[in-house]
Amino acid sequence: MDTKARILLVEDDYNLGAITKKRLEEAGYEVVHCSDGEIAWKTFLKSLYDICLLDVVMPKKNGFELAKQIRQRNDLIPILFITSKSLDEDKISGFKHGADDYVTKPFSMQELLLRIEVFLKRTRPLNADKRTTFAVGKTTFDYGELKLTEKSGKLKASLTQKEADLLKFFCENANKTLKREEILYHVWGKDDYFIGRSMDVFITKIRKHFSDDKEVKLETLHGIGFKFYVSTL
């Protein structure tokens, strides 16, 4: 990771919290540990985090209440419950309050790390590419100016901001298989039916822009997502 993902860890068991924090930091994450729900809520409001790991049974404010508050403030941040409760009704209650997943104590650190990685792939950029200009086949894509230009210097197309956002994401991850939901989370911030239909419109537009260039191909991988093939980038 070029920039460390920030984790808000809320666990009232000091020893478990300290051990979990240490292991997560060893794995390359930046971790803030809070011992009760009220402190965690105040801490959450003061900074930005990439994922929240919440215990359920805590003093002052339990994990369900905290998750509900966090979700009202931010409907995209992943929330993962770490709990000794394994009953179905507890899990259902957690999901109703905004949880994305559960890990039941005692848990393996490897399992926790894998689950964290899954959620962060959906919500953090796959690539920390800082470029704003890309040579895409026979075309120059200027993200800052929202323009596609031919090698001769002639303007090929002017892009909308969202069209440029999507094309930039494809350029940053050229020749990689990208899942449909992955693209939606990174470019639109969420995955739902209507946004998905909107993305399909932009996909069609991007294909049209490069239809005369054999060096560029935006392929649909049915049931999976897309792959942006570029022989020169």
Side-chain angles (χ1 to χ4, degrees):
M1 290 175 289
D2 292 308
T3 58
K4 291 183 179 181
R6 302 190 78 232
I7 298 175
L8 179 62
L9 171 64
V10 190
E11 170 60 64
D12 68 328
D13 182 323
Y14 177 80
N15 290 330
L16 178 58
I19 292 171
T20 303
K21 181 177 187 292
K22 184 174 184 294
R23 293 293 301 278
L24 290 173
E25 288 174 339
E26 289 173 348
Y29 297 107
E30 182 180 339
V31 184
V32 176
H33 175 213
C34 298
S35 58
D36 70 58
E38 282 191 5
I39 293 174
W41 174 238
K42 293 176 182 177
T43 302
F44 178 80
L45 293 175
K46 292 178 181 178
S47 189
L48 296 175
Y49 295 91
D50 295 293
I51 189 168
C52 297
L53 309 181
L54 312 181
D55 189 14
V56 171
V57 181
M58 295 186 295
K60 299 182 181 180
K61 190 191 299 290
N62 67 40
F64 294 152
E65 294 171 335
L66 178 58
K68 184 177 180 181
Q69 285 184 298
I70 290 173
R71 189 56 74 222
Q72 289 172 345
R73 185 89 176 190
N74 185 327
D75 65 351
L76 297 178
I77 189 169
I79 297 175
L80 179 63
F81 277 134
I82 301 175
T83 177
S84 56
K85 294 190 171 186
S86 59
L87 297 176
D88 287 342
E89 53 263 37
D90 290 319
K91 292 183 179 180
I92 291 170
S93 179
F95 289 127
K96 285 182 177 179
H97 284 86
D100 293 289
D101 204 354
Y102 257 89
V103 173
T104 304
K105 301 175 188 177
F107 57 86
S108 80
M109 186 55 62
Q110 183 178 9
E111 178 190 1
L112 179 60
L113 288 169
L114 286 173
R115 290 184 186 233
I116 289 172
E117 287 173 11
V118 167
F119 285 111
L120 291 181
K121 281 181 180 179
R122 298 178 186 175
T123 55
R124 300 189 88 227
L126 292 181
N127 201 322
D129 198 328
K130 303 300 182 185
R131 289 180 294 165
T132 58
T133 304
F134 301 84
V136 188
K138 300 175 182 178
T139 302
T140 297
F141 166 41
D142 189 325
Y143 175 73
E145 295 294 327
L146 305 178
K147 291 179 180 179
L148 294 178
T149 307
E150 296 178 356
K151 286 187 176 181
S152 63
K154 180 182 177 182
L155 179 65
K156 185 173 185 177
S158 295
L159 309 176
T160 64
Q161 183 63 59
K162 193 56 68 177
E163 193 176 357
D165 290 343
L166 180 58
L167 180 55
K168 183 173 185 285
F169 186 70
F170 279 131
C171 289
E172 290 173 339
N173 297 282
N175 303 315
K176 297 179 184 177
T177 297
L178 297 171
K179 293 182 179 178
R180 185 179 179 86
E181 60 270 22
E182 203 167 46
I183 300 167
L184 288 168
Y185 271 109
H186 283 287
V187 180
W188 276 268
K190 62 173 64 178
D191 175 5
D192 67 29
Y193 174 79
F194 296 104
I195 290 176
R197 293 301 298 271
S198 177
M199 182 177 76
D200 291 336
V201 172
F202 288 114
I203 292 286
T204 299
K205 289 182 178 180
I206 289 173
R207 283 201 178 106
K208 186 175 180 181
H209 291 322
F210 296 98
S211 61
D212 61 345
D213 193 339
K214 294 182 180 180
E215 296 180 19
V216 182
K217 181 181 179 183
L218 179 49
E219 182 180 0
T220 298
L221 305 175
H222 294 288
I224 301 173
F226 300 91
K227 195 166 188 175
F228 190 54
Y229 290 99
V230 183
S231 59
T232 304
L233 188 67

